[in-house]
Amino acid sequence: QVQLVESGGGLVQPGGSLRLSCEASGFTFSRYSMRWYRQAPGKERELVATITNGGGSMNYVDSVKGRFIISRDNAKNMVYLQMNGLKPEDTAVYYCNVDRDSVTYWGQGTQVTVSS
């Protein structure tokens, strides 16, 4: 079965950095685009970044462009989100996501809190 396990969240001061990781299993990872979403308290879940199956194309929501970098390692079935220049408004639970054969899968999420 498909499993997505996120890690790397935590508490960081404004301007700091974190690297989120998502370990995928149960499907042929290299065939699928992967996404990171986030959900802040009281807000809808928001698509943050997408990377194509081969890693050749990435897209970002405007609010994180120039600060976040999505990457993947198909040999390790891993997708990453490097977050730099963190702001309090980046505080949210971050989720790894894949759409496989018309089914959407989510990880359990990892909390990122940006606060001084």
Side-chain angles (χ1 to χ4, degrees), residues 6 20 34-50 59-65 67-68 70 81 83 86-97 106 110:
E6 301 96 335
L20 306 184
M34 297 295 297
R35 298 171 184 84
W36 283 99
Y37 281 77
R38 66 186 179 186
Q39 188 164 21
K43 295 188 176 181
E44 294 187 355
R45 196 167 292 191
E46 172 188 44
L47 176 61
V48 175
T50 302
N59 286 287
Y60 302 91
V61 67
D62 285 347
S63 59
V64 309
K65 284 181 180 176
R67 300 188 297 122
F68 290 11
I70 188 171
L81 187 67
M83 306 187 295
L86 282 162
K87 304 176 180 180
E89 52 263 42
D90 295 317
T91 295
V93 178
Y94 285 72
Y95 298 91
C96 184
N97 164 282
W106 299 93
T110 186

Side-chain angles (χ1 to χ4, degrees), residues 12-91:
V12 63
Q13 292 187 343
S17 297
L18 282 175
R19 188 194 194 207
L20 306 184
S21 300
C22 173
E23 182 175 9
S25 60
F27 63 105
T28 306
F29 181 75
S30 61
R31 291 185 181 176
Y32 297 92
S33 294
M34 297 295 297
R35 298 171 184 84
W36 283 99
Y37 281 77
R38 66 186 179 186
Q39 188 164 21
K43 295 188 176 181
E44 294 187 355
R45 196 167 292 191
E46 172 188 44
L47 176 61
V48 175
T50 302
I51 186 166
T52 52
N53 63 319
S57 179
M58 292 78 76
N59 286 287
Y60 302 91
V61 67
D62 285 347
S63 59
V64 309
K65 284 181 180 176
R67 300 188 297 122
F68 290 11
I69 301 171
I70 188 171
S71 63
R72 66 190 294 160
D73 185 337
N74 284 350
K76 296 182 179 179
N77 286 6
M78 297 290 293
V79 60
Y80 306 99
L81 187 67
Q82 177 67 43
M83 306 187 295
N84 303 317
L86 282 162
K87 304 176 180 180
E89 52 263 42
D90 295 317
T91 295

